[in-house]
Each structure stands twice: as structure tokens, then as C-alpha cells.
Amino acid sequence: MKYEKQVLYFYMILVTIGTVLIALTTLRYMSNVNDSSGYLILFGLIFTISYINYLEKKAGISKKVIWIRNSVYTVLVISLTYFLYF
């Protein structure tokens, strides 16, 4: 059982890294092109993140861990966006 939890957390970390990279790429696109279609990508990213949260709840990950991951995700995106693009 412990190995299964480790695998689950490993994939959770990979998903967080992937969504951070997608968010940074979207923000970079929006800042370079100044096109409103970037907002559609952001809405799609928000829907994808909410679906990932739903799947994590179904997988049995505690709400505390999900909140921590969401907080880390938010801090990473905001700080990296500030340092990379502004």
C-alpha cells in the first residue's frame, strides 16, 4: 500500500509541473502576441485543473494534500510569471 501511495504522489508532482509549464507558456503567448485567444487557453487550463482535482479526490488523496498542491501551484505560477515575464 505504501508503494501505491508513492506512485500516486509521484504522478501528482508530474501533473503539477506540467500544469505550471502550460500556464507559463500560455502567459508568455498572451504577453507576446497580445491576442485574446490566450484567455480561452486559460479557461481550458482552469477546467483541466478542476478535473484533475476531481480525479485526485476519487483516487483517495486527502483534501489537505490537494490544498497544499494547489497552493504550491499558485505560488509557483505567480512567482515564475513575475520573474520571467515582467
Side-chain angles (χ1 to χ4, degrees), residues 15 19 21-22 24 46 50 54 57-58 63 69:
V15 165
T19 52
L21 292 175
I22 291 171
L24 291 175
I46 290 170
S50 66
Y54 169 75
K57 288 178 189 175
K58 287 289 198 180
K63 287 185 179 183
R69 185 191 58 84

Side-chain angles (χ1 to χ4, degrees), residues 5-39:
K5 285 285 189 183
Q6 289 175 348
V7 170
L8 193 60
Y9 289 143
F10 173 73
Y11 284 116
M12 194 169 137
I13 291 169
L14 286 181
V15 165
T16 303
I17 292 170
T19 52
V20 166
L21 292 175
I22 291 171
L24 291 175
T25 305
T26 302
L27 293 172
R28 173 79 174 178
Y29 171 78
M30 289 174 58
S31 69
N32 284 346
V33 178
N34 292 329
D35 190 15
S36 63
S37 66
Y39 293 111

